[in-house]
Amino acid sequence: MPGIKSDRWIRRMAEEHGLIDPFVDHQVGHGVISYGLSAYGYDIRVSNEFKIFTNVYTTVVDPKHFDERSFVDYKGDVCVIPPNSFALSNTVENFRIPRNVYGICIGKSTYARCGIIINVTGFDAEWEGNATLEISNTTPLPCRIYAGEGIAQVLFFESDEDCETSYRDKKGKYQGQQRITLPRILAGGSPEKPSS
């Protein structure tokens, strides 16, 4: 039956079909921001690689012509995001979404209660890769993000039928990403419907 998927379904799909890799089949939560399998979702971890926004070069943020000088690269166990600033990272986990499934990602309450907002766009049908995470510090204070610990939760929804065109079918621009991936725009021209 269509609807949100349970821990049993997530475990089975991870173990038999590679839905999530690496997969932690229980909730880890002592001394860390929790991650792993929960009742109706999976708490994902943030990697130790970050791109932190900077105004040093006074560039303009333009999704069509993104200037990589907008960021400072950082790698470490704890990332400090400046007040009212923003960073990108990616998930420790790699995902392989089935054709009849859609994943929605929501931020964890531990960070939300500190004014840290996590935005991750949906996991489309047949999308594969490590998700790029958008982390906003909405506070007037610096904030810490802990690498290798929980940052958001993915909820999986199964449709009662396969989609007509999946992310893989349309050769999506973020398919197979393994690292932090910056905004991309496809080359000009009229879009074409993929052949079946």
Side-chain angles (χ1 to χ4, degrees), residues 53-74:
F53 262 101
T54 179
N55 61 3
V56 170
Y57 300 106
T58 61
T59 60
V60 173
V61 178
D62 182 345
K64 288 188 175 184
H65 307 283
F66 197 84
D67 186 339
E68 292 194 33
R69 295 179 305 160
S70 301
F71 287 111
V72 171
D73 290 327
Y74 174 78

Side-chain angles (χ1 to χ4, degrees), residues 27-36 45 108 110-111 146-151:
Q27 188 86 166
V28 176
H30 295 288
V32 298
I33 298 172
S34 62
Y35 61 88
R45 292 169 284 175
K108 289 185 66 67
T110 301
Y111 277 122
Y146 293 92
E149 299 188 20
I151 195 157

Side-chain angles (χ1 to χ4, degrees), residues 119-195:
N119 182 50
V120 182
T121 52
F123 294 3
D124 213 341
E126 293 197 307
W127 171 76
E128 294 183 10
N130 292 70
T132 294
L133 304 166
E134 300 90 23
I135 308 164
S136 296
N137 178 4
T138 66
T139 77
L141 304 169
C143 74
R144 289 188 177 116
I145 304 296
Y146 293 92
E149 299 188 20
I151 195 157
Q153 183 178 74
V154 181
L155 309 176
F156 298 96
F157 294 85
E158 186 175 30
S159 174
D160 56 358
E161 63 180 349
D162 284 359
C163 59
E164 185 175 292
T165 306
S166 74
Y167 197 77
R168 176 184 291 150
D169 293 340
K170 67 180 183 179
K171 297 178 174 48
K173 59 189 175 183
Y174 300 115
Q175 182 75 310
Q177 64 189 19
Q178 301 299 313
R179 312 268 322 245
I180 301 169
T181 305
L182 299 178
R184 294 178 177 166
I185 299 292
L186 296 176
S190 59
E192 295 180 15
K193 186 175 179 181
S195 58

Side-chain angles (χ1 to χ4, degrees), residues 88-109:
L88 293 177
S89 188
N90 62 322
T91 58
V92 169
E93 296 82 4
N94 184 277
F95 294 88
R96 291 178 59 209
I97 306 300
R99 190 174 184 92
N100 65 337
V101 171
Y102 191 86
I104 295 176
C105 199
I106 56 176
K108 289 185 66 67
S109 60

